[in-house]
Structure formats: C-alpha cells, structure tokens
Amino acid sequence: MTDCSLFDGWDMYPLNLFKTTLDADAARCRKRLSNEAQRLFIPSSEECQLKVWAYNFVHGKTIRHANLTLKQASDLKLYLSQGQPQSAQIFFINQAYSWGPLLITDEVFKKLATALKLHPGFLDVVHTFGERVAPVEESSASLFTRMQPNNLEFPAQYSYEIAYNFKYVARHGRSTPQDPFSIRQVGVYHQFEENSFTSNWVFLQAPDNLQARLASDYEGCEVSELVTQSYHHAAVFQCLSEDWREYVNHLEDALSTLMDRGLFSNITPVAGEGRINADFGDIRLLQVMTDKLKRLFHILQLNVSLCQRLQAFLSHIYSLSNRDAATGSHSQDTLFDNCIFHLETQRARVKSMISRADGIGSMIEHVLDVRNTQTAHNMNSTMHELSKRSAEENKLVRMLASQSTKDTRSMKVIAFISSIFLPATFVATFFGSNFFGFESTSDGNVLAVASNVWIYMIVALAFSAIAMTLWYWWYSRKPSVVEVEANV
C-alpha cells in the first residue's frame, strides 16, 4: 500500500470504504461516530497510547518482531508504510480508567480503521466505551460476524471478520464501594484472511492478564493459522471469565450473611402502647443484592450467548474449509464448551441466589404484614381507650356546664333583687349622711344642706375616676383572645 492511499479519505470513514447500504449503513455510522467523538476519544492535542504487536510466521513458529507505542498519526503512518509483511498485528486501545475516553484521538482512530479496513460493525462495540458518568449500556452486548470467500477458484478459503464486547468482573482496588468487584468489558475486533494467513486484531481496554495471555499464546505457536484464531478467541473468553467464580462466591457469602442476621426486620416494642421501633436497613440491602444478582444473571446470559454464537460461526467456517477441518473443529469446540460450561455454572448459581433472595423477600413481607397487623390492632386498642376517656371527659364537661347554668340563673335573681334595693340604699345612705338635716324655722321644718357638701362630691368623683382608671389599665395589660390564638 502506497503512502498516498494508506489513509485515503480517512476523515469520511466509514464512507470511504463502504459505499453500499446492503452491507452496512456507512452514512449513519459516520454521523454517529462524529457526534460521539468527543465522548469516545481524547482531544487531538493529547498524545495517543496506541500499542501494537507485530508477529511473523518463521520456520513454523510465530515470532514477535515489533512492540511499539504509537503516539501520533505520523507514528502510525511510519509503522504501516514500512511494507514489511506481517502474519499478525495486534493493536491495543486502552482507557485511563473504566469510564474514561479511549486513549486515541479521533484522527488516529479513523486512520487506523481506514488502513485496516475495519468494518462499521465494529463501531457498535466502540460506542459501548468512552467517557460516561453512569453505567450506561452495562447490560448490552454487541456481536458482528462477516464471512466471504477469498477466491471463487478456491471456495474453501474464506476471509472473515468478528467484532464483539465481552463482560467480565475484576477487583477495582478502591475502598468504596463495599463491593470489591466491578463490571468491566473488553472490545475485540478480528480480521482474518486464510489465503495469506494474515490476521489483524484490535482490542479495546484489554486488561494486563489478557495481554499476557495473548503474548504467551502467540509466542512460538506451532499450530496452523486457522486453528490458532479459534484458540485465541477461546483464550479471551477463558481469561476474562476466571474471576466470575470468585465474585459469585463473594455474593453468596454476602447473601448468607444477610440471612444469618435474622432476616432484615429489627422490630422491637418501645415505651408507649401501640408504638414500635422499626429498622429496615437490611431489607434495603436485600433489595440492592437482588437487583445486582439479576443484572449479573443477564450479563452472564449475554456472555453465554456470545460464546455459543461465536462457536457456531467458527464451526461453520471449519465445515467450509478443507484445512484441518475435523481436528481443528473438535479442538476449538472443546475450548468453547469448557468456557460455556463455566459461565453456565456461575449463571446457575446466580439464578439460585435470586430464587433464595425472592423467597426470603416473600417471607419478610409476610412477617411485616403480621407485625403491621399487630401494630394496627394495638393502635386501635389505644384509640378505643382514648375514645372511652374522651366520652367520660365529655360527660364531666356536660355536668360542669349544667352547674354553671344553674349558677348563672342564681346570679340573675341576685342581680334582679340588687337592682330593686340598690337605688333605695343609695338614697337612704346619701340623705342619712351629716351633710343633710332638718331645721325648725318660722315656716316649719326645712331641709338644710351643709355648706361643705362640695367636699363630698369632689372626693367621691375623684375616687370613682381613680377606680375606673386602674380598671382600664389592668384590663389593657391582659392579651385579648385574638392575640392569644394568633400566638398559638
């Protein structure tokens, strides 16, 4: 491939490679890739961390002759333009952390995809990666397979492309959250041409143990190329499935702990009839556990389905190929069967824990219903007792009201009698004082008024005014009924 055609039309990828919509809707793929480029890739000003291993098949063995880290588009161009034939190339595109962008720029990714002629089906896998703030698409899976004959004269030789993402668990090494494992994924693209025995691999966020496994499997491999590819896919599944058993063991222990703690409802009576102190923290933990188990069951189901479909695809290729058909097919089927059995075993354990958790949840609901019924009964009894006391108090209030009515009637009689005798008493007292008297004159007895009667008038009026003033002052100090209700 010449330098001028190496990245021809890279900025239009995948429209520069796939013009027809029969195989893939390249226009839609390009639009989606452009819209999510900022989330998927690092800025163009930063350096890439594109690692590449190159292998050659020499004297019946594969030998790695290149182990590079490409940081710029110019580094990629220099590497690909060397023209040295490669039996296999493995590209690793990683992330700084699980929810971060891929450590490759949009330009370098499109140029790599153009040079390797990556099918747009791989982009469905790429879109599950990139920067995010929540576990988006954690429960989704992608699988793309494509096969075509290399030459019509030799129909037994085929080229194929495979792309998928595989979910696995790994220890995150953080102090929080309490769950020491986290769900992660690896994206894989594989392109193989049987007539030239060449293959290209692209791995997205491959963990260190998987890279070590690939290096070990490829170095010095003596098996035929077609068989090797199946071994590598089976190795990917086996390597990434190793921690599932440990994680399921951890979840089983956590579920057993919840069961041993008395099943979730710490309800004890406290002071006060009809009251309870309820702590439902363990019920919440059970619900969180159940939800997690259901998510894991779904993810394991996706992994099993992926292994089965990929096994069927590779077996179909073996059935069409005339090279090592019987031996290769049997060997790769054995590897896939072992991996599928391991995943199905963990899936069955998770399903069993879900059933146990659901059974525990049903029992807890029944216990809480019984305790709620008992609490409601206690509260009803308390309310009945309060009603009885209220009826007795109402009876007492009615007696007090009746007595008050009688007192009021008595006071009315007293007031009526007082209104009859009070004026006569005032007149008798007033004229019986020393200020009035009768004197004998020539005309007879005459009523005489003392000359100092004015003193009586002034003193009486003054004391009356003082009494009214003191009453008004005292009355104004007391808050009114409206003010008391407002303050309450």
Side-chain angles (χ1 to χ4, degrees):
M1 185 180 294
T2 61
D3 290 352
C4 61
S5 63
L6 191 62
F7 305 134
D8 215 7
W10 65 269
D11 56 332
M12 297 296 293
Y13 175 81
L15 277 175
N16 59 333
L17 301 179
F18 300 89
K19 304 296 183 182
T20 176
T21 58
L22 296 177
D23 191 42
D25 190 350
R28 183 192 67 85
C29 293
R30 178 179 178 273
K31 181 179 179 181
R32 185 184 179 191
L33 184 62
S34 299
N35 291 338
E36 297 195 11
Q38 185 176 1
R39 180 184 69 84
L40 294 172
F41 310 115
I42 60 176
S44 58
S45 59
E46 298 183 15
E47 291 186 342
C48 304
Q49 297 296 323
L50 176 60
K51 186 162 64 173
V52 56
W53 296 347
Y55 291 88
N56 273 332
F57 199 68
V58 180
H59 303 299
K61 294 183 179 181
T62 55
I63 299 176
R64 184 167 66 183
H65 66 85
N67 182 2
L68 306 173
T69 299
L70 310 179
K71 298 183 178 181
Q72 304 290 342
S74 58
D75 298 337
L76 178 63
K77 180 178 180 180
L78 177 63
Y79 166 73
L80 294 176
S81 62
Q82 290 177 354
Q84 185 176 0
Q86 315 286 355
S87 296
Q89 296 180 110
I90 305 178
F91 294 89
F92 296 98
I93 305 175
N94 294 324
Q95 298 169 284
Y97 49 93
S98 298
W99 287 3
L102 296 170
L103 298 179
I104 188 172
T105 62
D106 179 46
E107 176 186 356
V108 175
F109 176 81
K110 290 181 177 179
K111 287 184 176 181
L112 175 65
T114 299
L116 299 182
K117 294 183 172 56
L118 301 185
H119 194 278
F122 178 54
L123 294 180
D124 285 338
V125 177
V126 174
H127 286 295
T128 62
F129 290 82
E131 190 171 16
R132 60 183 71 126
V133 295
V136 181
E137 296 194 70
E138 186 180 85
S139 59
S140 67
S142 299
L143 173 64
F144 164 77
T145 56
R146 181 171 178 260
M147 178 181 64
Q148 60 182 6
N150 289 326
N151 194 327
L152 295 178
E153 297 181 359
F154 302 97
Q157 294 184 347
Y158 287 86
S159 297
Y160 65 80
E161 293 175 87
I162 299 172
Y164 57 85
N165 64 323
F166 190 85
K167 310 287 185 178
Y168 70 102
V169 293
R171 291 185 177 272
H172 51 68
R174 300 187 298 270
S175 57
T176 56
Q178 294 182 352
D179 191 339
F181 292 85
S182 61
I183 304 295
R184 300 179 183 178
Q185 65 174 343
V186 171
V188 180
Y189 175 84
H190 181 209
Q191 179 189 85
F192 174 69
E193 294 185 4
E194 188 177 4
N195 61 342
S196 60
F197 301 108
T198 59
S199 71
N200 292 315
W201 294 79
V202 178
F203 286 91
L204 303 179
Q205 191 62 359
D208 294 339
N209 62 327
L210 178 58
Q211 295 186 34
R213 177 69 178 271
L214 291 171
S216 175
D217 290 346
Y218 250 106
E219 197 71 31
C221 184
E222 297 181 356
V223 295
S224 64
E225 188 68 20
L226 185 59
V227 176
T228 302
Q229 311 313 312
S230 298
Y231 273 102
H232 292 325
H233 285 288
V236 169
F237 294 149
Q238 289 179 340
C239 182
L240 297 177
S241 302
E242 291 175 350
D243 289 334
W244 276 110
R245 180 175 183 177
E246 184 180 0
Y247 186 37
V248 174
N249 288 341
H250 166 76
L251 294 176
E252 201 165 32
D253 290 341
L255 181 61
S256 298
T257 300
L258 287 177
M259 296 175 62
D260 293 339
R261 284 167 58 178
L263 301 185
F264 325 112
S265 57
N266 180 22
I267 302 180
T268 56
V270 297
E273 188 176 0
R275 299 180 181 179
I276 59 172
N277 179 24
D279 180 11
F280 299 103
D282 291 333
I283 299 178
R284 182 184 62 83
L285 292 177
L286 176 65
Q287 183 61 40
V288 171
M289 172 70 73
T290 303
D291 179 70
K292 181 182 297 184
L293 291 173
K294 290 180 179 179
R295 287 191 297 111
L296 293 180
F297 180 82
H298 177 68
I299 291 173
L300 285 169
Q301 181 63 43
L302 292 177
N303 285 351
V304 170
S305 178
L306 174 62
C307 291
Q308 291 173 339
R309 291 177 180 271
L310 190 56
Q311 180 187 23
F313 176 74
L314 293 174
S315 297
H316 180 61
I317 294 177
Y318 274 115
S319 66
L320 298 177
S321 176
N322 59 0
R323 303 178 66 254
D324 300 328
T327 304
S329 177
H330 176 72
S331 299
Q332 66 99 9
D333 282 343
T334 300
L335 293 173
F336 276 101
D337 288 341
N338 292 337
C339 183
I340 291 173
F341 175 78
H342 174 72
L343 292 174
E344 288 180 337
T345 300
Q346 307 312 318
R347 183 185 62 181
R349 294 177 64 192
V350 171
K351 183 177 181 180
S352 174
M353 285 191 286
I354 292 174
S355 299
R356 292 169 59 192
D358 289 341
I360 295 170
S362 299
M363 186 187 69
I364 294 171
E365 291 180 1
H366 178 70
V367 171
L368 291 179
D369 288 341
V370 172
R371 294 185 176 181
N372 287 337
T373 302
Q374 182 180 1
T375 302
H377 175 73
N378 293 337
M379 293 181 66
N380 289 335
S381 299
T382 304
M383 293 300 297
H384 179 68
E385 184 66 24
L386 290 175
S387 298
K388 290 176 59 178
R389 294 179 182 178
S390 178
E392 294 177 356
E393 290 177 356
N394 290 335
K395 184 177 179 180
L396 180 60
V397 169
R398 286 196 301 269
M399 293 175 59
L400 293 175
S402 177
Q403 185 66 36
S404 177
T405 302
K406 294 178 180 180
D407 294 341
T408 302
R409 291 175 180 174
S410 300
M411 292 302 297
K412 288 174 64 177
V413 173
I414 295 173
F416 178 73
I417 296 174
S418 298
S419 65
I420 294 175
F421 291 99
L422 188 60
T425 302
F426 172 74
V427 171
T429 303
F430 183 75
F431 285 100
S433 63
N434 295 329
F435 296 104
F436 298 94
F438 289 93
E439 295 180 357
S440 298
T441 61
S442 58
D443 296 330
N445 293 329
V446 179
L447 178 65
V449 179
S451 60
N452 59 350
V453 69
W454 61 271
I455 297 176
Y456 167 76
M457 294 297 181
I458 292 174
V459 172
L461 292 175
F463 274 97
S464 297
I466 292 172
M468 293 295 294
T469 302
L470 291 176
W471 173 83
Y472 179 78
W473 174 76
W474 178 260
Y475 183 78
S476 62
R477 288 181 59 207
K478 297 175 64 177
S480 64
V481 176
V482 176
E483 292 176 347
V484 171
E485 292 180 352
N487 292 333
V488 173

